[in-house]
Amino acid sequence: MLRTDVRYLKGIGPARSRQLARLGIENIYDLLLHVPRDYQDRRIITPICDLVPGEEVSVSGTVISSVYLKSRNGKSRLESIVRDNTGELKLTFFHFSYIAGKLKPGARIIGSGRIEFFGGISIVHPELIFLDEPGSDTRLVLPLYPLTAGLTQGIMRKLLETVLSEYCSAVPALLPAEALHTMGFLNRSEVIRKVHFPDDPEEGSRARSALALEELFVHQSLLNYVRTLASKRTGIEMIPPDGSLADFVSSLPYSLTGAQNSVLEIIAADLRRNVPMRRLLQGDVGSGKTVVAAAACIICCRSGYQAVLVAPTEVLASQHYRTVSSMLEPAGIRCGLLTGGTKALDRRDLLESLLNCTLDVLIGTHAVFEESVVIPEMGLCIIDEQHKFGVQQREKLLSGREPSPHFMLMSATPIPRTLAMTFYGDLDISVLDEMPPGRGNTTTRVMNRDSRSFVYEFLQNRIHNGEQAYIIYPLREASEEMDLKDATSSYEILKRGPLGHFGIGLLTGAMNPEKKLEVTGKFLSGEISILVSTTVVEVGLDVPGATVMVVTHAERFGLSQLHQLRGRIGRGGSDSWCFLMKSSDCGADGAKRLAVLDSTDDGFRIAEQDLRLRGPGEVAGTRQHGIPAFRIASLIDDSDLLEKAASMAAESNSWESLKDEYELRFRGLDILEL
Ligand code: ADP
Ligand code: MG
């Protein structure tokens, strides 16, 4: 019943259902969960002398006059003047309902709405209570809903009244009963009723918390279920010959950081167990995750199994192939690279050597997950910087195999704990919280457009000095809609300018993989000094000679994204500079946001700021994680509820009974095979 399309409700035609769809409301359940953004408390009366434009208030007074006026464009309106003992206020109506017609001099009313400045201080279309009239709507606390063009608070309230009375008793229970009791409610239908029509705003916000808690609970129950399933799978006990790991570590040109050593110890312990590892390795850009991945591969291959290392793009996959194979091949471990661009013949050879186990480590893009790629002894799967790899995808990859391979996800996106619990709640988390020594300092400066010539000169000097630079644009190509500079046009201009003979390259997401590899190869070898690009360089690219980065229209990027971008420089030993160029129309908010990058290089703090300023969807790319946005819970404000939801989910173990709810709430998710 809850899935019934709103179109079948009385009084909803095609136009109204389109409006509701804009708010994400398609069925009865969506309506029930369309919680008010706030409440109007008509018990709190503001004296007219204290009114401030923009506020939602209630005013109580006596009507002293009502007149019909015609404006120049021929439209008429009704203006009533209401007086209390502090002043007078105008109420304006452009279309008159019978209610407006009752505003006769002497009528005592409460009028509620937003104060506007409309030829003096005024409320346009206030909601009215006629105090001398017994029959009028006298509910004192009213919901204020998120709206869209064509809908009014009145329409939404009517709709909710209908739906609540007809369907609310049908909602299934979700949370354990005690949880609701502690929050002051008898059952779930009471919670839903009260969130819409509470006796006072405090009760409404308590009901909202209860609904946020249940939402988080449903999601945590899924994660809990996945974790339980995974812990029951048989894993592979990897016990390599003595000294394998130590030999590898001593073959490196540097010694591992303390953080790398301790994470590696944890991973080695995971791999020894007969339960499959499920771990997230978090570490800021440049913290040295790749070598940890390579060491894990050593343990795996020395124990007689094959390993897979997956990167999000061809450029990164081939970079990994270069670095990882140069670390592993001296130890006699054979590596192969497989991407969408691999030639048919090479691919056949690769597949064959995988099958007969003469290939130990397969490095590649998502192409490695194609069905034709059979890895008979796969013991370890590592996925780097792949945020689209949500819990559903992880399960899909790991559930079919017996014994189940060990799994590790690596990410440089430092996400706050609440997000980690949500996106990676099925994984154990390790953090590389120490940078390798010997890195240069990166200085970040936020610049005005006026400083362009300074920046250009600076860039020119560094290039003459033999160093390399990135110039980043928000757009790949010129766009008619947006007046922004773009990578392609700027590339053409730079190429013909005085820096042209130092080698200028263009790298955009639209280029074909071979072209991308060619350009990054030239940048790495130094044949190209300046790489003009977009955010495609955001993850992973490792070119030690690059010391300058210029980001144009910087305010258009997320903070974490900028932090990732600037992680591309300062990778060699020398000092580096990142210039964040503001657009001329960058507002004060934008400038303040950018200043965060100037003040810290702690990725976690930056991510937290980003979360506050832009919301979780932007920070971690909620959709990309395969998790649709929560309807009610806020990952910023409800972190205490999240902890509670997680422990309740672990205790109650009730995923089976929540499946339907999950599907209904986070629709479009393919969880059938779970
Ligand atoms: P990320 O964590 O961003 O993937 P990388 O694995 O690409 O970082 O490492 C960044 C750079 O640091 C690489 O050039 C790598 O060779 C170097 N590196 C990694 N670990 C160490 C270490 N312990 N000491 C010195 N340099 C290191
Ligand atoms: Mg990396």
Side-chain angles (χ1 to χ4, degrees):
M1 249 182 350
L2 296 175
R3 290 172 207 258
T4 309
D5 196 303
V6 287
R7 267 179 306 179
Y8 301 116
L9 282 175
K10 237 192 351 245
I12 296 196
R16 179 115 313 144
S17 76
R18 271 196 303 275
Q19 293 162 350
L20 291 171
R22 280 207 296 272
L23 293 170
I25 300 172
E26 285 168 15
N27 56 33
I28 304 284
Y29 197 54
D30 298 335
L31 257 180
L32 289 175
L33 293 184
H34 188 64
V35 306
R37 60 174 165 79
D38 203 354
Y39 301 95
Q40 192 173 67
D41 189 346
R42 300 198 276 186
R43 295 167 310 174
I44 298 173
I45 301 293
T46 310
I48 288 174
C49 67
D50 290 346
L51 297 179
V52 176
E55 285 181 354
E56 306 255 9
V57 296
S58 296
V59 167
S60 179
T62 306
V63 177
I64 55 171
S65 69
S66 283
V67 286
Y68 288 94
L69 299 167
K70 254 206 163 46
S71 62
R72 258 173 255 133
N73 60 17
K75 288 223 176 100
S76 50
R77 62 179 193 273
L78 172 68
E79 286 193 358
S80 297
I81 305 294
V82 174
R83 175 187 291 163
D84 69 4
N85 49 22
T86 71
E88 289 179 2
L89 169 71
K90 187 167 61 185
L91 307 180
T92 308
F93 298 83
F94 293 100
H95 26 89
F96 325 127
S97 65
Y98 75 101
I99 284 182
K102 294 195 295 188
L103 286 168
K104 306 250 162 57
R108 294 191 308 130
I109 59 144
I110 294 177
S112 304
R114 212 177 140 80
I115 299 296
E116 291 178 35
F117 203 81
F118 186 78
I121 230 160
S122 166
I123 301 179
V124 179
H125 291 288
E127 302 197 46
L128 298 170
I129 300 179
F130 291 89
L131 294 172
D132 305 319
E133 229 179 86
S136 92
D137 182 1
T138 51
R139 266 179 318 199
L140 289 171
V141 177
L142 288 177
L144 293 167
Y145 292 102
L147 296 176
T148 179
L151 286 177
T152 64
Q153 297 296 354
I155 294 169
M156 286 304 294
R157 285 172 198 156
K158 276 251 157 51
L159 261 177
L160 257 307
E161 269 167 18
T162 314
V163 173
L164 282 171
S165 71
E166 282 179 35
Y167 295 91
C168 192
S169 48
V171 298
L174 290 184
L175 288 172
E178 318 84 79
L180 288 185
H181 296 167
T182 10
M183 297 179 94
F185 299 102
L186 281 175
N187 53 40
R188 184 159 178 243
S189 23
E190 191 194 12
V191 173
I192 295 182
R193 243 178 231 118
K194 292 299 192 183
V195 84
H196 294 287
F197 297 105
D199 294 333
D200 55 69
E202 186 279 327
E203 186 181 44
S205 93
R206 216 161 4 99
R208 195 211 67 91
S209 294
L211 292 177
L213 180 66
E214 70 172 37
E215 183 164 56
L216 295 166
F217 171 71
V218 171
H219 187 250
Q220 288 294 321
S221 294
L222 164 68
L223 295 176
N224 184 62
Y225 175 73
V226 170
R227 231 179 356 237
T228 316
L229 269 191
S231 69
K232 286 187 190 138
R233 287 193 192 119
T234 318
I236 301 167
E237 296 173 45
M238 295 183 168
I239 302 170
D242 279 349
S244 314
L245 192 56
D247 290 348
F248 169 74
V249 171
S250 59
S251 77
L252 296 169
Y254 43 74
S255 44
L256 295 182
T257 64
Q260 283 169 326
N261 271 320
S262 46
V263 163
L264 207 46
E265 232 165 79
I266 294 172
I267 292 172
D270 278 356
L271 298 180
R272 265 197 302 274
R273 295 176 56 209
N274 66 350
V275 180
M277 169 169 81
R278 260 177 118 81
R279 185 166 292 282
L280 169 69
L281 176 57
Q282 268 192 340
D284 213 343
V285 286
S287 58
K289 294 182 289 294
T290 318
V291 64
V292 173
C297 290
I298 285 276
I299 298 176
C300 170
C301 300
R302 282 274 179 269
S303 308
Y305 296 91
Q306 293 168 299
V308 179
L309 173 58
V310 183
T313 63
E314 307 229 349
V315 167
L316 285 183
S318 48
Q319 178 181 289
H320 273 331
Y321 175 68
R322 268 195 310 272
T323 18
V324 172
S325 60
S326 76
M327 290 189 243
L328 297 185
E329 298 213 312
I333 288 174
R334 294 147 300 183
C335 303
L337 173 67
L338 179 66
T339 69
T342 305
K343 303 244 169 9
L345 268 182
D346 296 340
R347 185 185 152 91
R348 221 183 47 204
D349 287 349
L350 265 177
L351 295 191
E352 201 180 299
S353 51
L354 275 171
L355 264 184
N356 62 28
C357 294
T358 49
L359 190 72
D360 304 306
V361 179
L362 181 64
I363 299 167
T365 55
H366 265 69
V368 306
F369 294 136
E370 281 164 20
E371 242 167 80
S372 53
V373 182
V374 181
I375 308 168
E377 296 292 328
M378 172 150 119
L380 171 65
C381 175
I382 303 176
I383 299 202
D384 189 19
E385 296 299 355
Q386 184 48 282
H387 305 294
K388 290 197 181 87
F389 221 73
V391 58
Q392 325 275 333
Q393 285 88 341
R394 303 200 271 273
E395 263 314 284
K396 214 173 254 165
L397 173 70
L398 299 172
S399 59
R401 298 168 191 267
E402 256 322 297
S404 184
H406 296 288
F407 176 79
M408 182 162 78
L409 195 64
M410 303 200 293
S411 170
T413 313
I415 54 175
R417 181 173 158 76
T418 48
L419 285 189
M421 277 178 73
T422 311
F423 299 135
Y424 304 116
D426 59 321
L427 304 179
D428 298 320
I429 301 181
S430 300
V431 183
L432 278 183
D433 52 5
E434 183 185 349
M435 284 292 174
R439 296 172 57 90
N441 261 326
T442 298
T443 307
T444 301
R445 285 284 172 269
V446 181
M447 308 293 271
N448 284 323
R449 272 173 62 86
D450 308 344
S451 334
R452 269 175 309 173
S453 52
F454 166 81
V455 171
Y456 186 77
E457 226 167 88
F458 187 94
L459 179 78
Q460 209 161 6
N461 288 337
R462 307 314 313 174
I463 301 296
H464 275 283
N465 222 14
E467 297 170 28
Q468 291 171 291
Y470 293 94
I471 307 183
I472 308 293
Y473 293 89
L475 299 181
R476 188 166 76 209
E477 278 162 358
S479 144
E480 285 187 9
E481 285 95 70
M482 284 180 281
D483 184 21
L484 297 176
K485 289 196 257 169
D486 66 283
T488 309
S489 328
S490 301
Y491 163 71
E492 294 297 338
I493 295 169
L494 274 171
K495 216 168 52 172
R496 277 182 242 113
L499 290 175
H501 66 277
F502 285 101
I504 317 269
L506 174 69
L507 179 71
T508 72
M511 289 163 39
N512 70 39
E514 273 148 54
K515 187 76 190 149
K516 281 186 197 164
L517 285 177
E518 183 194 323
V519 174
T520 45
K522 283 184 180 167
F523 193 48
L524 189 60
S525 71
E527 195 177 323
I528 285 173
S529 291
I530 299 178
L531 188 64
V532 178
S533 188
T534 60
T535 52
V536 295
V537 302
E538 185 181 325
V539 279
L541 205 61
D542 190 17
V543 178
T547 58
V548 182
M549 174 171 284
V550 180
V551 184
T552 59
H553 302 292
E555 75 285 348
R556 304 189 68 90
F557 297 85
L559 292 184
S560 291
Q561 201 174 22
L562 289 169
H563 181 62
Q564 289 283 321
L565 279 169
R566 79 174 161 188
R568 302 303 110 225
I569 53 173
R571 298 177 79 85
S574 34
D575 288 345
S576 299
W577 292 268
C578 175
F579 296 105
L580 303 175
M581 310 300 293
K582 286 190 293 191
S583 310
S584 45
D585 60 354
C586 166
D589 282 351
K592 210 165 111 194
R593 229 160 45 81
L594 291 179
V596 173
L597 287 168
D598 202 329
S599 68
T600 177
D601 34 51
D602 179 342
F604 278 90
R605 275 190 52 201
I606 291 167
E608 227 146 48
Q609 284 292 331
D610 229 9
L611 182 61
R612 292 221 158 264
L613 297 166
R614 305 208 312 165
E618 296 294 327
V619 176
T622 318
R623 299 216 156 266
Q624 293 182 3
H625 280 267
I627 297 172
F630 288 96
R631 296 178 184 218
I632 299 163
S634 146
L635 295 178
I636 304 171
D637 300 323
D638 294 328
S639 50
D640 50 337
L641 293 178
L642 180 60
E643 305 275 351
K644 200 156 140 191
S647 62
M648 275 171 25
E651 256 165 53
S652 71
N653 245 324
S654 46
W655 169 248
E656 287 300 330
S657 63
L658 295 173
K659 255 180 172 173
D660 263 1
E661 173 66 26
Y662 192 94
E663 204 257 338
L664 195 57
R665 195 179 272 261
F666 302 107
R667 54 171 160 248
L669 275 192
D670 173 23
I671 50 160
L672 298 176
E673 66 265 47
L674 290 189

